[in-house]
Amino acid sequence: MTTVPQTTEDQQRSAVVTGASTGIGEATVRALAAEGWRVYAVARRAERLEALASETGAVAVQADIAEDDDVARLVAEVTSGGGIDTLVNVAGGARGTDWIADAKTEDWEWMLRANVIGTMKLTRAFLPMLRATGHGTVLNLTSVAALVSYEGGGGYNAAKFAERGMTRALRLEEAEHNVRVIEVLPGLVKTEEFTLKRLGGDAEAAEKVYAGVEEPLTAEDIADVVRYAVTVPHHINLDEIVVRPVAQAATHKLIRRGR
């Protein structure tokens, strides 16, 4: 596989950010671009990507990260553009809240493909390039669902537990190549689409998830954490960052007021 020459940290930083058409991925593109990074914004929805690119100067790349041909095309485009030193895997998501007794196979297969298989394929494809820089970074966005299971979350728990396991193994495997591996685990984040899509487009049900929570986290909050984690000096590895709103003391304890 084609790689890029070794770089130094004082050169322009560059990253691929997946899930860039909405939510945390979109906010991360904006945060890094504002810091002067060259950013490849990757997602499946071309129209939203093009709008983001025109606003931020990012390079829009329409791709499904679980599709081998799309991944190969993305790597080729990034290589021709000079390469990257950072990979930010945001793409993923949840479908449904069924208990396991009523689990829908297609929902589980989608979650494993989006959160685990896609992340693996993209990471595998870019590792030679990240190693070649001499100071590569991989940041995987998982979830507090990777830490604690809950009723109705079995499929999402399974996907995020798997993604977390993969991330921890990657950190052990890549340390000798000076590739740092970071995991950000958000709690309750109110974004445009995550819960709405999980609940099949039921806007009323989606809004109830956040009802009475005075200040749930925003996509921009998480993007700012991601930006900080990938811009600190490279010898610092923020291995695992759990981010929750103050109102969410734990997965089972969420303070709701004014309902």
Side-chain angles (χ1 to χ4, degrees), residues 68-155:
D68 293 336
D69 289 347
D70 283 13
V71 171
R73 177 171 51 81
L74 171 61
V75 172
E77 181 163 349
V78 171
T79 300
S80 67
I84 58 166
D85 57 66
T86 300
L87 173 61
V88 182
N89 289 307
V90 177
R95 280 194 178 175
T97 56
D98 295 326
W99 287 29
I100 293 170
D102 300 310
K104 295 181 178 64
T105 300
E106 59 271 24
D107 286 348
W108 281 59
E109 288 177 341
W110 183 89
M111 285 186 279
L112 290 168
R113 183 176 184 272
N115 294 282
V116 183
I117 301 302
T119 298
M120 177 277 290
K121 286 186 174 183
L122 208 63
T123 303
R124 180 179 64 189
F126 277 106
L127 274 175
M129 184 182 295
L130 297 174
R131 290 171 176 174
T133 68
H135 55 266
T137 297
V138 177
L139 186 147
N140 288 343
L141 189 92
T142 62
S143 168
V144 294
L147 300 175
V148 179
S149 297
Y150 55 93
E151 296 99 326

